[in-house]
Amino acid sequence: MNEYEALLRLQSIDIELMRYSRQLKAMPQQKRLAALDAAKKKLAVQLTKIVGQRKDCEIDVSDSEAAYQHLVDVRDEVKSKLNAGETGYREIGSIEQQLTSLAKKMEKLEFTHGQKMEALEKASKAEKNARDLDARLDAERKSLEESFKRDSANIMAEVRKLATERKQVLADIQPETLATYERLGKRFDGLCVERLHGNVPSVCRVKLQPSLYNDIKKGTSIAECPYCHRMLVTEEVAQ
């Protein structure tokens, strides 16, 4: 295959690949998959926050239980002194005051501990719901991927076929020509090679002036369009 023929075929292949790529992106599964990815990302942020809250609640509950147990130990120690019968009247009064104070502190801790347990239960439930949702999103993604694979099988077969041919075509194009093609391909959204039919380029359709036309006819089979600056295959020179 001549270089100019390979160049024209390369552009044709790439345009077909771009069309197939747009078809794949437009499939309903792809749109839903994009929405799932966004939901997963948002959920991950929320789950990190929820897990942090749950851990904080666990620490609060643990600290509350430790504080309560400390008061129980102190109360038991005070009671042991009272039950020992070796205390005087004043000491008994002081012990009774200590026990009253301890009882009030324990009552207050019991109340706040209940609130902390409720907060922990709420945080644990929120974490479970978030993890369940994450699992459902994963299951839906798997189902969508399988559906997409089935529905896109024919397109993907054509894509693989074109990709194989593209590798073969590239072997007939010089590195310098390929570099120019890739650079202009980005600029012109893939349509960067045109033919010269008579004295009219096939893409920009601006008729060449006689002097420019004669210069191009004397040049190589792959020139540059003087108007749109695409790669220009000159049929007469090529033949």
mmCIF file of all heavy atoms in Angstrom, residues 61-97:
data_model
loop_
_atom_site.group_PDB
_atom_site.id
_atom_site.type_symbol
_atom_site.label_atom_id
_atom_site.label_comp_id
_atom_site.label_asym_id
_atom_site.label_seq_id
_atom_site.Cartn_x
_atom_site.Cartn_y
_atom_site.Cartn_z
ATOM 1 N N VAL A 61 -19.061 5.891 74.647
ATOM 2 C CA VAL A 61 -19.719 4.844 75.442
ATOM 3 C C VAL A 61 -18.710 4.142 76.331
ATOM 4 O O VAL A 61 -18.973 3.870 77.519
ATOM 5 C CB VAL A 61 -20.411 3.833 74.509
ATOM 6 C CG1 VAL A 61 -20.855 2.587 75.300
ATOM 7 C CG2 VAL A 61 -21.619 4.472 73.825
ATOM 8 N N SER A 62 -17.538 3.843 75.774
ATOM 9 C CA SER A 62 -16.497 3.168 76.547
ATOM 10 C C SER A 62 -16.034 4.032 77.716
ATOM 11 O O SER A 62 -15.877 3.539 78.850
ATOM 12 C CB SER A 62 -15.316 2.833 75.634
ATOM 13 O OG SER A 62 -14.278 2.209 76.367
ATOM 14 N N ASP A 63 -15.837 5.318 77.450
ATOM 15 C CA ASP A 63 -15.427 6.235 78.518
ATOM 16 C C ASP A 63 -16.504 6.340 79.590
ATOM 17 O O ASP A 63 -16.200 6.394 80.801
ATOM 18 C CB ASP A 63 -15.138 7.623 77.940
ATOM 19 C CG ASP A 63 -13.872 7.649 77.091
ATOM 20 O OD1 ASP A 63 -13.087 6.686 77.165
ATOM 21 O OD2 ASP A 63 -13.681 8.628 76.335
ATOM 22 N N SER A 64 -17.766 6.372 79.165
ATOM 23 C CA SER A 64 -18.875 6.459 80.115
ATOM 24 C C SER A 64 -18.946 5.220 81.000
ATOM 25 O O SER A 64 -19.141 5.321 82.220
ATOM 26 C CB SER A 64 -20.191 6.634 79.345
ATOM 27 O OG SER A 64 -21.291 6.634 80.230
ATOM 28 N N GLU A 65 -18.761 4.056 80.381
ATOM 29 C CA GLU A 65 -18.795 2.812 81.156
ATOM 30 C C GLU A 65 -17.630 2.741 82.133
ATOM 31 O O GLU A 65 -17.790 2.268 83.276
ATOM 32 C CB GLU A 65 -18.764 1.616 80.198
ATOM 33 C CG GLU A 65 -20.040 1.469 79.378
ATOM 34 C CD GLU A 65 -19.942 0.359 78.352
ATOM 35 O OE1 GLU A 65 -18.806 -0.101 78.094
ATOM 36 O OE2 GLU A 65 -20.990 -0.030 77.782
ATOM 37 N N ALA A 66 -16.461 3.223 81.703
ATOM 38 C CA ALA A 66 -15.297 3.219 82.590
ATOM 39 C C ALA A 66 -15.514 4.160 83.763
ATOM 40 O O ALA A 66 -15.165 3.843 84.919
ATOM 41 C CB ALA A 66 -14.051 3.627 81.805
ATOM 42 N N ALA A 67 -16.098 5.338 83.478
ATOM 43 C CA ALA A 67 -16.363 6.309 84.546
ATOM 44 C C ALA A 67 -17.383 5.756 85.537
ATOM 45 O O ALA A 67 -17.248 5.943 86.761
ATOM 46 C CB ALA A 67 -16.861 7.623 83.938
ATOM 47 N N TYR A 68 -18.398 5.084 85.018
ATOM 48 C CA TYR A 68 -19.428 4.507 85.889
ATOM 49 C C TYR A 68 -18.839 3.411 86.772
ATOM 50 O O TYR A 68 -19.142 3.335 87.973
ATOM 51 C CB TYR A 68 -20.571 3.956 85.036
ATOM 52 C CG TYR A 68 -21.759 3.525 85.841
ATOM 53 C CD1 TYR A 68 -22.725 4.453 86.242
ATOM 54 C CD2 TYR A 68 -21.924 2.194 86.222
ATOM 55 C CE1 TYR A 68 -23.819 4.057 86.989
ATOM 56 C CE2 TYR A 68 -23.010 1.783 86.972
ATOM 57 C CZ TYR A 68 -23.963 2.721 87.348
ATOM 58 O OH TYR A 68 -25.045 2.337 88.096
ATOM 59 N N GLN A 69 -17.986 2.580 86.170
ATOM 60 C CA GLN A 69 -17.372 1.505 86.943
ATOM 61 C C GLN A 69 -16.471 2.072 88.039
ATOM 62 O O GLN A 69 -16.404 1.515 89.148
ATOM 63 C CB GLN A 69 -16.556 0.598 86.010
ATOM 64 C CG GLN A 69 -15.946 -0.608 86.702
ATOM 65 C CD GLN A 69 -16.994 -1.505 87.336
ATOM 66 O OE1 GLN A 69 -17.987 -1.833 86.711
ATOM 67 N NE2 GLN A 69 -16.774 -1.884 88.616
ATOM 68 N N HIS A 70 -15.804 3.181 87.728
ATOM 69 C CA HIS A 70 -14.964 3.832 88.748
ATOM 70 C C HIS A 70 -15.812 4.293 89.918
ATOM 71 O O HIS A 70 -15.418 4.113 91.094
ATOM 72 C CB HIS A 70 -14.227 5.023 88.126
ATOM 73 C CG HIS A 70 -13.453 5.831 89.118
ATOM 74 N ND1 HIS A 70 -12.316 5.368 89.758
ATOM 75 C CD2 HIS A 70 -13.682 7.099 89.613
ATOM 76 C CE1 HIS A 70 -11.866 6.292 90.589
ATOM 77 N NE2 HIS A 70 -12.679 7.353 90.519
ATOM 78 N N LEU A 71 -16.973 4.879 89.640
ATOM 79 C CA LEU A 71 -17.861 5.322 90.720
ATOM 80 C C LEU A 71 -18.366 4.134 91.533
ATOM 81 O O LEU A 71 -18.498 4.223 92.769
ATOM 82 C CB LEU A 71 -19.041 6.100 90.133
ATOM 83 C CG LEU A 71 -18.726 7.473 89.533
ATOM 84 C CD1 LEU A 71 -19.983 8.108 88.947
ATOM 85 C CD2 LEU A 71 -18.120 8.404 90.584
ATOM 86 N N VAL A 72 -18.658 3.017 90.847
ATOM 87 C CA VAL A 72 -19.097 1.810 91.552
ATOM 88 C C VAL A 72 -18.003 1.319 92.495
ATOM 89 O O VAL A 72 -18.274 0.948 93.655
ATOM 90 C CB VAL A 72 -19.467 0.708 90.542
ATOM 91 C CG1 VAL A 72 -19.695 -0.632 91.272
ATOM 92 C CG2 VAL A 72 -20.722 1.097 89.779
ATOM 93 N N ASP A 73 -16.767 1.333 92.018
ATOM 94 C CA ASP A 73 -15.651 0.884 92.859
ATOM 95 C C ASP A 73 -15.479 1.797 94.066
ATOM 96 O O ASP A 73 -15.237 1.323 95.193
ATOM 97 C CB ASP A 73 -14.360 0.867 92.027
ATOM 98 C CG ASP A 73 -14.392 -0.192 90.936
ATOM 99 O OD1 ASP A 73 -15.202 -1.125 91.030
ATOM 100 O OD2 ASP A 73 -13.597 -0.062 89.962
ATOM 101 N N VAL A 74 -15.602 3.110 93.856
ATOM 102 C CA VAL A 74 -15.469 4.056 94.961
ATOM 103 C C VAL A 74 -16.602 3.867 95.958
ATOM 104 O O VAL A 74 -16.403 3.881 97.184
ATOM 105 C CB VAL A 74 -15.450 5.503 94.433
ATOM 106 C CG1 VAL A 74 -15.500 6.507 95.597
ATOM 107 C CG2 VAL A 74 -14.203 5.749 93.589
ATOM 108 N N ARG A 75 -17.818 3.707 95.427
ATOM 109 C CA ARG A 75 -18.974 3.496 96.314
ATOM 110 C C ARG A 75 -18.800 2.249 97.170
ATOM 111 O O ARG A 75 -19.087 2.252 98.379
ATOM 112 C CB ARG A 75 -20.239 3.375 95.463
ATOM 113 C CG ARG A 75 -21.520 3.192 96.294
ATOM 114 C CD ARG A 75 -22.629 2.658 95.434
ATOM 115 N NE ARG A 75 -22.298 1.325 94.901
ATOM 116 C CZ ARG A 75 -23.044 0.677 93.995
ATOM 117 N NH1 ARG A 75 -24.145 1.239 93.515
ATOM 118 N NH2 ARG A 75 -22.678 -0.538 93.581
ATOM 119 N N ASP A 76 -18.336 1.162 96.523
ATOM 120 C CA ASP A 76 -18.148 -0.085 97.267
ATOM 121 C C ASP A 76 -17.072 0.083 98.338
ATOM 122 O O ASP A 76 -17.181 -0.471 99.450
ATOM 123 C CB ASP A 76 -17.758 -1.215 96.314
ATOM 124 C CG ASP A 76 -18.912 -1.601 95.400
ATOM 125 O OD1 ASP A 76 -20.056 -1.213 95.701
ATOM 126 O OD2 ASP A 76 -18.649 -2.278 94.373
ATOM 127 N N GLU A 77 -16.063 0.851 98.012
ATOM 128 C CA GLU A 77 -14.998 1.095 98.988
ATOM 129 C C GLU A 77 -15.514 1.896 100.168
ATOM 130 O O GLU A 77 -15.188 1.598 101.345
ATOM 131 C CB GLU A 77 -13.843 1.833 98.308
ATOM 132 C CG GLU A 77 -12.653 2.064 99.240
ATOM 133 C CD GLU A 77 -11.509 2.793 98.539
ATOM 134 O OE1 GLU A 77 -11.576 2.953 97.293
ATOM 135 O OE2 GLU A 77 -10.569 3.197 99.240
ATOM 136 N N VAL A 78 -16.330 2.889 99.866
ATOM 137 C CA VAL A 78 -16.913 3.713 100.943
ATOM 138 C C VAL A 78 -17.853 2.874 101.808
ATOM 139 O O VAL A 78 -17.855 2.968 103.049
ATOM 140 C CB VAL A 78 -17.643 4.929 100.341
ATOM 141 C CG1 VAL A 78 -18.434 5.668 101.433
ATOM 142 C CG2 VAL A 78 -16.658 5.865 99.673
ATOM 143 N N LYS A 79 -18.656 2.054 101.157
ATOM 144 C CA LYS A 79 -19.583 1.201 101.915
ATOM 145 C C LYS A 79 -18.849 0.219 102.810
ATOM 146 O O LYS A 79 -19.311 -0.100 103.916
ATOM 147 C CB LYS A 79 -20.483 0.433 100.939
ATOM 148 C CG LYS A 79 -21.617 1.257 100.367
ATOM 149 C CD LYS A 79 -22.521 0.370 99.511
ATOM 150 C CE LYS A 79 -23.723 1.145 99.005
ATOM 151 N NZ LYS A 79 -24.618 0.279 98.192
ATOM 152 N N SER A 80 -17.705 -0.246 102.332
ATOM 153 C CA SER A 80 -16.946 -1.206 103.132
ATOM 154 C C SER A 80 -16.462 -0.568 104.436
ATOM 155 O O SER A 80 -16.395 -1.222 105.483
ATOM 156 C CB SER A 80 -15.760 -1.748 102.336
ATOM 157 O OG SER A 80 -14.826 -0.713 102.048
ATOM 158 N N LYS A 81 -16.129 0.713 104.339
ATOM 159 C CA LYS A 81 -15.715 1.423 105.549
ATOM 160 C C LYS A 81 -16.886 1.548 106.513
ATOM 161 O O LYS A 81 -16.738 1.412 107.729
ATOM 162 C CB LYS A 81 -15.199 2.811 105.202
ATOM 163 C CG LYS A 81 -13.894 2.814 104.415
ATOM 164 C CD LYS A 81 -13.444 4.239 104.134
ATOM 165 C CE LYS A 81 -12.140 4.257 103.335
ATOM 166 N NZ LYS A 81 -11.704 5.646 103.046
ATOM 167 N N LEU A 82 -18.067 1.820 105.929
ATOM 168 C CA LEU A 82 -19.255 1.985 106.774
ATOM 169 C C LEU A 82 -19.654 0.669 107.418
ATOM 170 O O LEU A 82 -20.023 0.622 108.614
ATOM 171 C CB LEU A 82 -20.412 2.526 105.928
ATOM 172 C CG LEU A 82 -21.714 2.829 106.670
ATOM 173 C CD1 LEU A 82 -21.495 3.941 107.696
ATOM 174 C CD2 LEU A 82 -22.790 3.243 105.676
ATOM 175 N N ASN A 83 -19.543 -0.392 106.677
ATOM 176 C CA ASN A 83 -19.933 -1.702 107.201
ATOM 177 C C ASN A 83 -18.908 -2.267 108.188
ATOM 178 O O ASN A 83 -19.210 -3.198 108.934
ATOM 179 C CB ASN A 83 -20.112 -2.702 106.052
ATOM 180 C CG ASN A 83 -21.276 -2.309 105.145
ATOM 181 O OD1 ASN A 83 -22.218 -1.659 105.610
ATOM 182 N ND2 ASN A 83 -21.196 -2.704 103.879
ATOM 183 N N ALA A 84 -17.713 -1.701 108.174
ATOM 184 C CA ALA A 84 -16.677 -2.202 109.073
ATOM 185 C C ALA A 84 -17.002 -1.888 110.524
ATOM 186 O O ALA A 84 -16.523 -2.548 111.447
ATOM 187 C CB ALA A 84 -15.319 -1.608 108.697
ATOM 188 N N GLY A 85 -17.819 -0.861 110.772
ATOM 189 C CA GLY A 85 -18.236 -0.498 112.129
ATOM 190 C C GLY A 85 -17.157 0.145 112.946
ATOM 191 O O GLY A 85 -17.245 0.185 114.169
ATOM 192 N N GLU A 86 -16.089 0.621 112.306
ATOM 193 C CA GLU A 86 -14.979 1.213 113.024
ATOM 194 C C GLU A 86 -14.932 2.737 112.839
ATOM 195 O O GLU A 86 -13.889 3.348 112.993
ATOM 196 C CB GLU A 86 -13.668 0.579 112.533
ATOM 197 C CG GLU A 86 -13.609 -0.918 112.769
ATOM 198 C CD GLU A 86 -12.339 -1.508 112.213
ATOM 199 O OE1 GLU A 86 -11.558 -0.739 111.602
ATOM 200 O OE2 GLU A 86 -12.121 -2.729 112.387
ATOM 201 N N THR A 87 -16.048 3.295 112.494
ATOM 202 C CA THR A 87 -16.090 4.738 112.243
ATOM 203 C C THR A 87 -16.911 5.428 113.307
ATOM 204 O O THR A 87 -17.856 4.866 113.875
ATOM 205 C CB THR A 87 -16.694 5.025 110.857
ATOM 206 O OG1 THR A 87 -17.972 4.377 110.759
ATOM 207 C CG2 THR A 87 -15.776 4.509 109.764
ATOM 208 N N GLY A 88 -16.567 6.705 113.551
ATOM 209 C CA GLY A 88 -17.303 7.485 114.515
ATOM 210 C C GLY A 88 -18.500 8.182 113.879
ATOM 211 O O GLY A 88 -18.776 8.036 112.689
ATOM 212 N N TYR A 89 -19.172 8.964 114.705
ATOM 213 C CA TYR A 89 -20.400 9.620 114.252
ATOM 214 C C TYR A 89 -20.100 10.577 113.112
ATOM 215 O O TYR A 89 -20.809 10.599 112.093
ATOM 216 C CB TYR A 89 -21.025 10.367 115.438
ATOM 217 C CG TYR A 89 -22.240 11.177 115.041
ATOM 218 C CD1 TYR A 89 -23.464 10.541 114.834
ATOM 219 C CD2 TYR A 89 -22.150 12.555 114.867
ATOM 220 C CE1 TYR A 89 -24.579 11.273 114.475
ATOM 221 C CE2 TYR A 89 -23.252 13.294 114.506
ATOM 222 C CZ TYR A 89 -24.474 12.656 114.311
ATOM 223 O OH TYR A 89 -25.564 13.395 113.948
ATOM 224 N N ARG A 90 -19.060 11.392 113.298
ATOM 225 C CA ARG A 90 -18.718 12.359 112.255
ATOM 226 C C ARG A 90 -18.284 11.663 110.957
ATOM 227 O O ARG A 90 -18.634 12.097 109.870
ATOM 228 C CB ARG A 90 -17.598 13.266 112.747
ATOM 229 C CG ARG A 90 -18.041 14.201 113.872
ATOM 230 C CD ARG A 90 -16.905 15.114 114.273
ATOM 231 N NE ARG A 90 -17.311 16.042 115.332
ATOM 232 C CZ ARG A 90 -16.504 16.957 115.876
ATOM 233 N NH1 ARG A 90 -15.246 17.063 115.449
ATOM 234 N NH2 ARG A 90 -16.949 17.746 116.834
ATOM 235 N N GLU A 91 -17.531 10.600 111.127
ATOM 236 C CA GLU A 91 -17.074 9.870 109.941
ATOM 237 C C GLU A 91 -18.239 9.241 109.204
ATOM 238 O O GLU A 91 -18.274 9.209 107.969
ATOM 239 C CB GLU A 91 -16.069 8.799 110.349
ATOM 240 C CG GLU A 91 -14.750 9.380 110.838
ATOM 241 C CD GLU A 91 -13.789 8.287 111.299
ATOM 242 O OE1 GLU A 91 -14.301 7.226 111.709
ATOM 243 O OE2 GLU A 91 -12.573 8.499 111.219
ATOM 244 N N ILE A 92 -19.226 8.750 109.982
ATOM 245 C CA ILE A 92 -20.413 8.164 109.349
ATOM 246 C C ILE A 92 -21.147 9.216 108.524
ATOM 247 O O ILE A 92 -21.589 8.969 107.413
ATOM 248 C CB ILE A 92 -21.347 7.562 110.417
ATOM 249 C CG1 ILE A 92 -20.694 6.327 111.048
ATOM 250 C CG2 ILE A 92 -22.705 7.201 109.817
ATOM 251 C CD1 ILE A 92 -21.486 5.735 112.192
ATOM 252 N N GLY A 93 -21.265 10.414 109.086
ATOM 253 C CA GLY A 93 -21.931 11.500 108.348
ATOM 254 C C GLY A 93 -21.203 11.830 107.065
ATOM 255 O O GLY A 93 -21.826 12.055 106.016
ATOM 256 N N SER A 94 -19.875 11.848 107.143
ATOM 257 C CA SER A 94 -19.078 12.155 105.953
ATOM 258 C C SER A 94 -19.237 11.060 104.901
ATOM 259 O O SER A 94 -19.347 11.342 103.687
ATOM 260 C CB SER A 94 -17.605 12.300 106.347
ATOM 261 O OG SER A 94 -16.790 12.485 105.203
ATOM 262 N N ILE A 95 -19.270 9.805 105.361
ATOM 263 C CA ILE A 95 -19.430 8.692 104.421
ATOM 264 C C ILE A 95 -20.792 8.744 103.741
ATOM 265 O O ILE A 95 -20.913 8.501 102.530
ATOM 266 C CB ILE A 95 -19.241 7.353 105.160
ATOM 267 C CG1 ILE A 95 -17.770 7.195 105.571
ATOM 268 C CG2 ILE A 95 -19.692 6.180 104.305
ATOM 269 C CD1 ILE A 95 -17.507 5.981 106.437
ATOM 270 N N GLU A 96 -21.811 9.073 104.551
ATOM 271 C CA GLU A 96 -23.156 9.156 103.977
ATOM 272 C C GLU A 96 -23.238 10.262 102.927
ATOM 273 O O GLU A 96 -23.907 10.103 101.892
ATOM 274 C CB GLU A 96 -24.183 9.391 105.088
ATOM 275 C CG GLU A 96 -24.380 8.162 105.965
ATOM 276 C CD GLU A 96 -25.357 8.419 107.100
ATOM 277 O OE1 GLU A 96 -25.627 9.621 107.365
ATOM 278 O OE2 GLU A 96 -25.842 7.455 107.702
ATOM 279 N N GLN A 97 -22.554 11.372 103.190
ATOM 280 C CA GLN A 97 -22.511 12.446 102.196
ATOM 281 C C GLN A 97 -21.797 11.984 100.916
ATOM 282 O O GLN A 97 -22.233 12.302 99.796
ATOM 283 C CB GLN A 97 -21.804 13.662 102.789
ATOM 284 C CG GLN A 97 -22.608 14.389 103.850
ATOM 285 C CD GLN A 97 -21.849 15.594 104.416
ATOM 286 O OE1 GLN A 97 -20.696 15.840 104.053
ATOM 287 N NE2 GLN A 97 -22.498 16.317 105.326
#
